[in-house]
Amino acid sequence: MKLEIDRDRLVRELDALGAISQELPPVVTRVVFTEADVRGREFVKQLCREAGLTIREDAVGNTFVRWIGENPGLEPVATGSHIDAIPNAGRFDGTVGVLGGLEAIRALAKAGHRPRRSIELVIFTSEEPTRFGIGCLGSRLMSGLLDPATASHYKDRDGVSLDDARSTAGFQGLLSSVRLPPAYYSAFVEMHIEQGPLLEQHKVPLGVVTAIAAPASLKIRIEGEGGHAGAVLMPDRHDAFLAAAEIALAVEQGARSSGSRDTVGTVGVCDIFPSAVNSIPSRARMEIDVRDTDDSRRDAVLRTIEQACAEITRRRGVQAHVEIVNADPPAHCAPHVVDTLVESCETHGLPFERMISRAYHDSLFMARIAPAAMLFIPCRDGVSHRPDEYASPESIAQGTLVLAEALARLASQ
Ligand SMILES: [Zn+2]
């Protein structure tokens, strides 16, 4: 089989998808179920139709693009990623795994390959937590790790429910129907940019992921007392924002003192109310992300944050409500899928390194229902979630080549 990746076409398609944004290029903002997200989905689906593939969508908008194999009764092999993007993001996060997955299928077809198992490209809904506060919404529901009844009550910042948002975008039906039966896929592989600097620093073209770090996120609401910024004297204040500020420092301290550099903690959201220069903040709302490759160490940091929160709010005379949105276990990739990726790198003479994914991906949840692994390609300076995110055409093509090889091998098993 002579596999040829059409690098120029793939780069053109990535650029075109990147231009579908809620903001002007190079800024990519494509929040789930917005008009830009719907247009991005349509762009990808049109390319899939042109490639002669069949398309199915579920109630939450997860999209399944199938290349039917010689034995359609066998469990398919799947690949895929996401096309939604956080505000002010770049062109490659997620999209490389979606359009690269499509190109891998097209390259296999062009090489005359006929897979024994069907090969399915999955475009997951809302990998990013931007709108509903929870990441990997589509793959969580697919894997049965998120209760559909809980999910249907999610609301965005404007009070729009998940059910209303998905139906506006054209996705109806019961969320409970999204869950896939056990052993639905025989294997799952996701290609993604590394979103870290190691491959570039080590001058290694590909990363084979053996484990995915365990993420957790918290929401904290603080109720203090508002008042006039001139009239209320300092000893009499119960400033919600200052409590939030101390909690933010406790998050940093908790992560830094875990004893491992694998522990990271971030306060990514802090909204204050009423957000006026001459008004003492009466309310604050924080969203906190904590991750580690070891879930017990991660959970110890969560406890530290909760204790600090209790102490800080008591001392400052404010109230806090802490909600743990998710605390997921880490995923260990399936050895035979990892081995297949390794063999595929070797077949094409491409050096690789085994690594851990510190960002989490839909693979974290797919690993619960299918033997899964990931393939990383380098991105410039490890930068991601920024408009200057960049992966070279050569890296994208190399990753796609290895992905195609791995899909062919997995589909022949
Ligand atoms: Zn991603």
Side-chain angles (χ1 to χ4, degrees):
M1 179 171 60
K2 180 145 170 39
L3 271 173
E4 275 175 47
I5 303 303
D6 190 338
R7 174 167 107 173
D8 294 345
R9 172 172 65 181
L10 178 51
V11 168
R12 255 195 332 269
E13 290 169 351
L14 283 163
D15 287 347
L17 180 54
I20 301 174
S21 169
Q22 294 163 249
E23 281 158 87
L24 288 178
V27 177
V28 181
T29 299
R30 214 164 34 233
V31 176
V32 68
F33 301 141
T34 58
E35 182 267 338
D37 178 49
V38 172
R39 266 196 298 141
R41 290 164 179 271
E42 196 42 55
F43 172 76
V44 175
K45 284 188 284 185
Q46 182 55 31
L47 295 177
C48 295
R49 282 191 286 265
E50 284 164 14
L53 306 170
T54 56
I55 300 175
R56 170 177 87 83
E57 289 167 321
D58 69 15
V60 80
N62 290 313
T63 303
F64 305 83
V65 180
R66 187 169 287 203
W67 183 26
I68 296 167
E70 277 175 344
N71 196 339
L74 294 174
E75 298 80 15
V77 169
T79 186
S81 194
H82 62 99
I83 64 162
D84 68 317
I86 67 163
N88 203 42
R91 274 177 300 158
F92 302 96
D93 175 5
T95 56
V96 153
V98 171
L99 293 173
L102 172 62
E103 178 56 27
I105 291 173
R106 290 187 302 213
L108 287 167
K110 191 168 165 232
H113 181 76
R114 271 308 302 273
R116 185 164 156 262
R117 295 174 185 274
S118 298
I119 297 179
E120 191 151 88
L121 171 68
V122 187
I123 303 144
F124 295 97
T125 286
S126 195
E127 192 271 346
E128 303 292 2
T130 311
R131 185 156 182 186
F132 294 103
I134 188 155
C136 296
L137 180 65
S139 53
R140 278 178 200 272
L141 285 165
M142 221 185 260
S143 63
L145 266 87
L146 174 62
D147 175 28
T150 307
S152 64
H153 290 114
Y154 287 150
K155 283 193 166 59
D156 69 10
R157 273 187 208 193
D158 301 323
V160 179
S161 71
L162 171 61
D163 279 347
D164 286 343
R166 70 187 169 99
S167 93
T168 305
F171 305 110
Q172 269 130 11
L174 293 173
L175 283 183
S176 56
S177 66
V178 172
R179 186 171 182 174
L180 293 179
Y184 185 77
Y185 291 120
S186 69
F188 177 79
V189 183
E190 178 175 7
M191 175 167 68
H192 206 281
I193 55 169
E194 182 197 347
Q195 303 183 292
L198 299 179
L199 290 173
E200 188 180 62
Q201 281 170 8
H202 301 169
K203 297 189 170 42
V204 175
L206 294 165
V208 174
V209 174
T210 56
I212 304 170
S217 65
L218 301 174
K219 282 184 182 172
I220 301 182
R221 285 201 318 271
I222 300 161
E223 296 273 346
E225 237 170 74
H228 194 285
V232 184
L233 298 180
M234 298 311 281
D236 302 326
R237 293 191 182 195
H238 302 283
D239 185 322
F241 169 66
L242 292 180
E246 278 200 67
I247 292 167
L249 293 175
V251 171
E252 182 193 33
Q253 182 57 27
R256 291 186 75 129
S257 57
S258 81
S260 168
R261 59 196 290 274
D262 287 340
T263 320
V264 287
T266 306
V267 179
V269 173
C270 184
D271 292 334
I272 56 177
F273 180 84
S275 202
V277 67
N278 57 354
S279 180
I280 300 162
S282 60
R283 293 205 293 269
R285 191 181 69 87
M286 313 169 77
E287 293 183 24
I288 299 166
D289 178 297
V290 182
R291 302 176 196 212
D292 204 313
T293 48
D294 179 292
D295 45 351
S296 61
R297 204 164 49 209
R298 191 256 341 255
D299 290 346
V301 177
L302 295 181
R303 282 193 296 277
T304 306
I305 295 169
E306 286 179 300
Q307 281 159 10
C309 186
E311 187 276 319
I312 291 160
T313 51
R314 194 167 47 240
R315 175 161 44 77
R316 288 184 168 272
V318 300
Q319 307 290 318
H321 177 261
V322 180
E323 178 195 352
I324 295 183
V325 180
N326 63 290
D328 302 300
H332 300 283
C333 295
H336 85 270
V337 185
V338 169
D339 290 347
T340 303
L341 284 169
V342 165
E343 290 158 16
S344 301
C345 291
E346 287 167 351
T347 298
H348 294 280
L350 289 166
F352 64 93
E353 112 182 8
R354 290 172 195 263
M355 58 199 310
I356 286 166
S357 172
R358 288 167 201 287
Y360 73 92
H361 303 280
D362 293 300
S363 293
L364 182 68
F365 300 96
M366 293 308 283
R368 307 270 149 220
I369 55 166
M374 294 188 74
L375 180 65
F376 274 176
I377 62 169
C379 53
R380 188 173 59 200
D381 299 330
V383 163
S384 182
H385 284 189
R386 277 175 26 187
D388 56 342
E389 178 182 272
Y390 179 78
S392 73
E394 187 188 15
S395 294
I396 294 166
Q398 287 171 336
T400 306
L401 178 66
V402 168
L403 178 65
E405 177 74 34
L407 291 174
R409 286 168 181 257
L410 291 165
S412 71
Q413 287 168 8

